């Protein structure tokens, strides 16, 4: 999503070029940058503890759509629910954990404790990379000060702590969404020839392959969770209007990368299902076009706006609203509204469905908290 820096969007005047740039709270020159390796190490340690501390039951899909399937792949026995028999689920996600189970068996560590906790710990590694990419995305769009407060918001948010280390497909989808958005924004800045960060930093961030990396990650997110297409449809269409070489973008980037990922995942599903099935098509037909999910319960259309998402973001809600208004990053905040709006059309609603946009809301919370900390310093 293309975005434009606004000088009046900042709480403080933007620093001169080379000081970190960006129309966001706090002067970047006063904020000591955190090395990304240190951020990743912190996130890994925190999410490992997160995975070990969360011992509650949340959703059956965490087990029956992932770990039970992975156990069946690795050891030859395990129950498959009716969704697998009807070709509504793909094997890409469970195969990750099946490989983990095989590795544990090879090391003779396939004991009950390791079999139960190792998948959570692996997901905690994925989650820590999601934290890192949210930090990098916040730094790219705003600055170091906002990025640090965004990381704080991400780590202490109760629902993120409760859900992100679980082996739900939504958890991995969230990580891929944040990483994909980061590379997409890098590609936008590179194509414009400017950056919200300093020129020295931009040299290390920019890559001619950033947009392809973003598209590849987006395709993987859709393969893990087909409804991730809702997010990337918004992102792609907004910027497609401004792309000069539209045919080149479609036929040399979007379609080839999408086709490769679809072919690989379809082959995996054929290999595991024993017949040709197009899982994304079956998934979308059942959940979107036939309202099959309504069997599991329905909610009023405004549930995500009035109850679901506010419960997830909880105490950070006022900070996020302030950050959205003050930063004026309308296209990015519009992505949150778009996802919540599209999911509101569906009768069956769950908290985890909109987990991928929770980090974005927490990024706006980080913007607000950075502005508040700067105001406190001035007074």
């Amino acid at each position: 999503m293309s975005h434009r820096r606004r000088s009046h969007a900042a709480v403080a005047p933007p620093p001169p070029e080379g000081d970190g740039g960006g129309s966001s709270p706090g002067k970047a020159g006063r904020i000591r940058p955190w090395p990304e390796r240190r951020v990743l190490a912190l996130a890994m340690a925190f999410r490992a503890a997160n995975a070990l501390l969360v011992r509650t039951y949340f959703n059956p899909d965490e087990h029956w759509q992932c770990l039970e399937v992975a156990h069946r792949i690795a050891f030859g026995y395990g129950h498959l629910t009716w969704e697998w028999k009807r070709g509504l689920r793909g094997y890409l996600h469970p195969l990750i954990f099946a490989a983990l189970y095989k590795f544990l068996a090879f090391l003779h560590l396939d004991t009950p404790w390791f079999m139960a906790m190792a998948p959570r710990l692996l997901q905690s590694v994925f989650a820590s990379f999601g934290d890192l990419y949210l930090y990098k995305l916040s730094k790219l769009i705003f600055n170091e000060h906002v990025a640090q407060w965004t990381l704080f918001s991400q780590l202490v948010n109760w629902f993120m702590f409760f859900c992100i280390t679980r082996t739900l497909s939504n958890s991995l989808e969230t990580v891929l969404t944040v990483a994909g958005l980061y590379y997409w924004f890098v590609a936008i800045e590179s194509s414009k020839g400017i950056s919200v960060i300093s020129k020295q930093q931009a040299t290390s961030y920019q890559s001619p392959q950033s947009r392809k990396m973003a598209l590849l990650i987006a395709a993987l997110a859709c393969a893990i969770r087909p409804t991730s297409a809702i997010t990337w449809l918004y992102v792609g269409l907004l910027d497609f209007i401004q792309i000069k070489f539209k045919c080149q973008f479609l036929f040399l980037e979007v379609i080839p990368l999408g086709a490769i990922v679809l072919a690989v995942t379809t082959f995996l599903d054929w290999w595991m299902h024993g017949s040709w099935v197009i899982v994304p098509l079956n998934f979308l037909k059942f959940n979107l076009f036939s309202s099959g999910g309504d069997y599991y319960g329905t909610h009023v259309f405004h549930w995500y706006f009035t109850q679901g998402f506010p419960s997830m973001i909880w105490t950070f809600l006022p900070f996020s609203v302030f950050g959205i208004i003050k930063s004026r990053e309308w296209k990015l905040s519009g992505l949150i509204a778009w996802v919540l709006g599209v999911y509101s059309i569906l009768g069956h609603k769950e908290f985890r469905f909109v987990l991928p946009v929770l980090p974005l809301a927490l990024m706006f919370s980080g913007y607000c908290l950075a502005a508040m900390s700067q105001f406190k310093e001035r007074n």
Side-chain angles (χ1 to χ4, degrees):
M1 290 168 292
S2 58
H3 55 288
R4 181 178 58 189
R5 308 266 61 82
R6 299 175 177 85
S7 60
H8 61 278
V11 178
E17 186 175 275
D19 287 343
S23 59
S24 47
K27 294 183 179 180
R30 297 178 180 176
I31 305 300
R32 184 177 180 180
W34 292 350
E36 291 180 2
R37 286 181 295 179
R38 183 177 300 176
V39 172
L40 181 60
L42 169 66
M44 281 189 169
F46 184 88
R47 291 305 178 193
N50 185 173
L52 295 173
L53 289 172
V54 175
R55 306 296 296 272
T56 54
Y57 181 84
F58 175 38
N59 190 281
D61 283 2
E62 179 182 357
H63 307 285
W64 297 106
Q65 307 299 352
C66 180
L67 298 185
E68 187 75 9
V69 182
H71 190 280
R72 183 186 179 92
I73 296 170
F75 302 109
Y77 65 97
H79 179 70
L80 293 183
T81 61
W82 64 270
E83 293 100 325
W84 294 91
K85 298 173 184 177
R86 291 185 56 176
L88 297 178
R89 299 284 180 174
Y91 278 92
L92 179 60
H93 186 233
L95 279 170
I96 298 172
F97 298 95
L100 174 64
Y101 281 155
K102 281 289 189 181
F103 182 69
L104 290 175
F106 176 76
L107 297 177
H108 301 290
L109 293 175
D110 49 337
T111 61
W113 190 91
F114 276 103
M115 294 291 286
M117 297 309 301
R120 287 275 187 93
L121 290 172
L122 177 60
Q123 177 58 36
S124 75
V125 174
F126 298 148
S128 64
F129 277 95
D131 297 333
L132 172 64
Y133 274 104
L134 181 62
Y135 172 85
K136 294 171 66 174
L137 178 63
S138 304
K139 186 176 179 180
L140 182 68
I141 296 177
F142 299 116
N143 63 24
E144 177 71 30
H145 196 193
V146 175
Q148 293 176 6
W149 279 107
T150 298
L151 182 63
F152 166 80
S153 302
Q154 171 88 344
L155 294 181
V156 303
N157 173 258
W158 84 271
F159 192 81
M160 193 62 66
F161 189 91
F162 181 73
C163 188
I164 196 63
T165 59
R166 298 180 185 272
T167 52
L168 293 161
S169 59
N170 310 89
S171 299
L172 186 54
E173 177 197 5
T174 300
V175 173
L176 292 173
T177 298
V178 174
L181 286 175
Y182 167 74
Y183 284 110
W184 188 265
F185 272 87
V186 170
I188 290 171
E189 295 302 328
S190 299
S191 66
K192 291 193 300 185
I194 60 174
S195 178
V196 295
I197 53 181
S198 67
K199 289 183 179 179
Q200 292 83 359
Q201 291 173 306
T203 303
S204 62
Y205 275 104
Q206 294 175 3
S207 167
Q209 302 300 319
S210 294
R211 190 165 68 183
K212 292 180 181 179
M213 178 64 74
L215 290 171
L216 178 61
I217 294 174
L220 289 173
C222 292
I224 295 292
R225 188 84 185 171
T227 47
S228 187
I230 295 171
T231 299
W232 291 103
L233 182 65
Y234 175 95
V235 173
L237 285 180
L238 277 186
D239 289 314
F240 183 74
I241 300 173
Q242 302 179 18
I243 292 176
K244 294 181 179 180
F245 305 103
K246 292 180 172 59
C247 290
Q248 178 179 335
F249 173 65
L250 278 176
F251 295 104
L252 296 183
E253 296 183 33
V254 176
I255 293 178
L257 287 171
I260 291 172
V261 173
L262 180 61
V264 171
T265 54
T266 301
F267 174 78
L268 286 176
D269 292 332
W270 165 79
W271 181 38
M272 300 303 300
H273 280 286
S275 61
W276 288 107
V277 292
I278 303 178
V279 171
L281 180 60
N282 293 340
F283 185 92
L284 294 175
K285 284 171 60 178
F286 179 81
N287 288 283
L288 293 180
F289 305 131
S290 66
S291 300
D294 291 359
Y295 174 80
Y296 298 99
T298 59
H299 298 76
V300 292
F301 75 94
H302 56 75
W303 183 80
Y304 280 120
F305 290 97
T306 59
Q307 300 172 60
F309 201 66
S311 297
M312 295 166 64
I313 195 168
W314 199 231
T315 52
F316 288 101
L317 179 59
F319 303 115
S320 296
V321 172
F322 177 88
I324 288 172
I325 296 172
K326 192 66 178 177
S327 68
R328 302 187 183 183
E329 286 288 346
W330 302 121
K331 291 183 178 180
L332 192 57
S333 58
L335 174 58
I336 301 173
W338 162 261
V339 171
L340 297 181
V342 173
Y343 274 107
S344 295
I345 298 173
L346 305 178
H348 179 61
K349 300 175 176 65
E350 295 186 33
F351 295 104
R352 62 191 177 95
F353 290 170
V354 295
L355 182 64
V357 294
L358 180 58
L360 301 182
L362 293 172
M363 182 170 66
F364 287 111
S365 172
Y367 183 98
C368 175
L369 292 172
M372 291 174 62
S373 67
Q374 179 191 347
F375 179 79
K376 182 179 179 181
E377 289 176 2
R378 287 182 171 181
N379 293 274

